Amino acid sequence: MKGLYFQQSSTNEEITFVFQERENLPATEDYYVKLQVKACALSQINTKLLAEMKMEKDFFPVGREVAGIVLDGILPLDSEDPGLCEVVRVHEHYLVHKPEKVTWAEAAGTIRDGVQAYTALHYLSHLSPGKSVLIMDGASALGTIAIQLAHHRGARVISTACSLEDKQYLERLRPSLARVIDLSNGKAHVAESCLEETGGLGVDIVLDAGVRLYSKDDEPAVKLQPLPHKHDIITLLGVGGHWVTTEENLQLDPPDSHCLFLKGATVAFLNDEVWNLSNVQQGKYLCILKDVMEKLSAGVFRPQLDEPIPLYEAKVSMEVVQKNQGRKKQVVQF
């Protein structure tokens, strides 16, 4: 059997993915099952996290959001098996039943974004009916699921668009968004728009898609995209608000911290691997996986999936995903 691997020694600029022949799976131990993979979603590999966790290898397996017979789940961070393979060995603690009406591609393509959305809105910011929520880059795969979860919980949702196509997509969503802020032309101001929409009170919850830490002149060229400045996020937060950030290198200066203190606001970091880093949270993790599948089956979650691709195209597609150049979720169908 062949599996797709990431060459850990390569740099972010020279990403290398290779197919390698795999040895036969070892005999199944207690609490492990063999899973015949039917679909596997592609997501970026956090090479920095792997290095910090001292999990560096010459070749690291690719593909962890898998759906197959008989079960479905996210492979743990330290899994030695790539999800982009016909058969993998998985511990039962990382599996959840797939509803019959959910397709393989939908299950694999939704599970990770569903976990991220739940972590951000339920566990980190305590979403409840009537809250106002700003979801940055709502047309992304994660943004779409987060918007749908927030609407399901009865929140008032504002979102940002990075292009005209994204703006049109967000305006077609039902239930309708309270406001779509178009950042593509550089004219809209996130903080002003949110304060206007909330009558000057600010939003209760912000889920960002990255922020600018410096002025445009000092910002690295790689980050010159329609991202709000950290001061904008702090300004638009309401009293007692929650800022959930994906910016792992966020720097808050004393004036920033003082402003957050005056508002009684909180900052939380969204690390989608956190559930796999501690067995203490296993029960909550399985509840999230189960609820994601149930909401997918009920039509609450409607993922933005690209057309499924065969395994032999996974290498090229993964290179695109790793560079964050795709919008829709890419799924490999077996």
Side-chain angles (χ1 to χ4, degrees), residues 10 170 191 276 280:
S10 60
L170 292 172
N276 285 319
V280 175

Side-chain angles (χ1 to χ4, degrees), residues 130-141:
K131 295 283 189 180
S132 56
V133 183
L134 169 64
I135 296 175
M136 306 296 296
D137 196 12
S140 65

